[in-house]
Amino acid sequence: MPKLNVRLATGVEPREGGRYTITAVEEVTTAVRGYKGLRVSMKNATDKNDTETYTTMLWLRETAGLRSKLGAFIAAFTKFLGDEEKALDPENWIGHTIYVVSWQERNREIRVVE
């Protein structure tokens, strides 16, 4: 059997207390079950030596809890943009910097800082 030549990703999810600039938001659909989501890609906004690309998946659903990943992004951008319609368009997130207040399961909170 061949030896795997794979490197496990580290630090992929954003961390509490971190500031990240959103570089891309892509729609994705899983191959097997057809789940739809958004892949949010970010760069560290405070440590320019950190070349890691941080990503998180926001699974799309009709109702999102305020403390879910998706809910945290929508709530933060609604407050920042002052318009829920604009916040519901992920294209409006690109280029903005977020601060991760809490990134625990079922207790997600971010703030848009610029």
Side-chain angles (χ1 to χ4, degrees):
M1 187 174 291
K3 182 178 177 184
L4 296 175
N5 185 18
V6 176
R7 180 177 68 93
L8 291 177
T10 58
V12 173
E13 283 278 332
R15 298 182 183 107
E16 284 185 15
R19 289 179 184 257
Y20 303 91
T21 301
I22 298 173
T23 57
V25 181
E26 304 165 86
E27 284 186 56
V28 295
T29 303
T30 62
V32 176
R33 300 252 178 163
Y35 294 135
K36 295 186 183 297
L38 300 173
R39 180 186 300 121
V40 181
S41 300
M42 301 167 267
K43 290 290 189 182
N44 190 318
T46 55
D47 183 357
K48 300 305 178 194
N49 293 322
D50 183 353
T51 59
E52 185 75 57
T53 296
Y54 294 84
T55 60
T56 193
M57 285 298 300
L58 310 179
W59 297 109
L60 300 177
R61 53 186 54 99
E62 288 185 29
T63 304
L66 186 60
R67 293 296 189 155
S68 69
K69 288 181 183 181
L70 179 60
F73 272 81
I74 293 170
F77 277 97
T78 297
K79 185 173 182 179
F80 181 78
L81 297 171
D83 183 342
E84 186 176 19
E85 279 299 311
K86 287 183 181 177
L88 290 172
D89 182 354
E91 288 292 320
N92 293 326
W93 304 355
I94 298 170
H96 289 287
T97 300
I98 61 168
Y99 172 74
V100 180
V101 177
S102 175
W103 206 245
Q104 302 299 317
E105 188 174 341
R106 298 182 183 182
N107 189 26
R108 317 279 182 173
E109 182 183 357
I110 66 169
R111 290 189 195 128
V112 183
V113 294
E114 62 180 75

